[in-house]
Amino acid sequence: MARSITLVGFDADDTLWHSETYFHEAHAEFERIVGGYVDLADAGVHERLLATERENIKLFGYGAKGMTLSMIETAIALSGERISAADLHRIVGLGKSILQHPVELLPGVRSAVEAVAATHRVVLITKGDLFHQERKVAASGLADLFQRIEIVSEKDEKSYARLFKEFDVSPAEFAMVGNSQKSDIAPVLALGGWGIHVPYPLVWALDRAEIDPAHPRFASVPNAGAVPAVLAGWDP
């Protein structure tokens, strides 16, 4: 079957640069703060926070600001409203620390994106807080490589279908590169596109999914450096 991939999308967080590591560290510190009020072994702090985040996504969206508000709500509930203003201020500080974290590119990312951009149109597609994502894109030094930067509220079939229409491509002409099988890969495959999974050691619980590795339009690679070769193999 003839193939012609003309547009390639790259995810940002944990595909191009480190992100989840900072959220993971903030969650650990949040548990230490709440541990001053409840028995961590019995309170199910992680599960309670996750449930609150899941419920609040529809209101706050993704990113550090929504996570911080969910942390505050969870801490108040778990402590029976006993948590001090000082500790609530510490939780706010956790959110600020994530918003200010440095942008550290993952190994081989720039050369990989440059190689793909030499043969395809490339776009950056990420979700999360608008200000935070814009700051990270600017700090990354990669913005000049992308024809467009899309910051969306959700990465689902509807968002990708809109992108296909605006770029005047069919799903079969599009490949998405990302660390999340749930939001970067699954919706694209469902529409008829191609997906390249670049794993990251940490994956947020609400962003996990498993795709059949035998799927004919799916590939998993150890790092971004392997992406150009996969595209070349799909579209010789």
Side-chain angles (χ1 to χ4, degrees):
M1 180 178 64
R3 295 186 285 265
S4 183
I5 296 172
T6 62
L7 181 66
V8 178
F10 281 87
D11 169 53
D13 291 341
D14 301 318
T15 298
L16 301 181
W17 51 70
H18 293 282
S19 176
E20 184 59 28
T21 299
Y22 300 105
F23 283 86
H24 189 76
E25 291 172 352
H27 281 198
E29 181 61 25
F30 169 76
E31 292 198 7
R32 285 190 283 271
I33 293 170
V34 174
Y37 300 87
V38 299
D39 183 348
L40 293 178
D42 297 330
V45 175
H46 177 75
E47 291 74 17
R48 288 286 295 274
L49 176 58
L50 194 63
T52 304
E53 288 180 305
R54 182 184 288 110
E55 183 64 25
N56 283 342
I57 282 174
K58 65 189 74 169
L59 296 174
F60 305 142
Y62 296 93
K65 294 176 184 176
M67 180 207 71
T68 303
L69 290 170
S70 292
M71 283 182 170
I72 291 171
E73 181 179 343
T74 303
I76 291 171
L78 285 173
S79 68
E81 302 183 357
R82 293 181 296 110
I83 189 166
S84 69
D87 282 334
L88 289 177
H89 192 258
R90 290 172 64 194
I91 293 173
V92 172
L94 295 177
K96 287 184 175 181
S97 69
I98 292 176
L99 292 171
Q100 297 169 339
H101 74 71
V103 177
E104 181 184 355
L105 295 183
L106 288 161
V109 157
R110 184 170 184 91
S111 60
V113 177
E114 286 176 337
V116 175
T119 54
H120 299 75
R121 293 183 294 171
V122 293
V123 294
L124 179 66
I125 310 172
T126 185
K127 65 184 180 183
D129 178 78
L130 177 63
F131 289 172
H132 192 203
Q133 294 297 331
E134 286 181 336
R135 186 192 69 79
K136 287 191 284 187
V137 171
S140 73
L142 300 175
D144 61 304
L145 298 177
F146 297 100
Q147 290 198 352
R148 185 188 296 184
I149 295 168
E150 288 279 328
I151 301 173
V152 298
S153 58
E154 185 62 87
K155 292 164 82 172
D156 53 15
E157 291 182 33
K158 182 179 179 181
S159 294
Y160 288 110
R162 176 180 57 80
L163 185 73
F164 300 158
K165 183 177 181 179
E166 292 178 358
F167 272 87
D168 193 25
V169 297
S170 69
E173 296 175 291
F174 177 77
M176 183 65 186
V177 180
N179 73 293
S180 170
Q181 296 193 38
K182 180 179 179 181
S183 62
D184 297 323
I185 309 298
V188 174
L189 295 181
L191 290 169
W194 304 75
I196 302 177
H197 179 228
V198 185
Y200 189 78
L202 299 171
V203 180
W204 186 36
L206 298 185
D207 217 14
R208 293 175 184 164
E210 291 294 334
I211 294 171
D212 182 356
H215 192 292
R217 288 180 280 106
F218 171 73
S220 185
V221 296
N223 52 62
V227 169
V230 171
L231 289 170
W234 279 346
D235 198 12

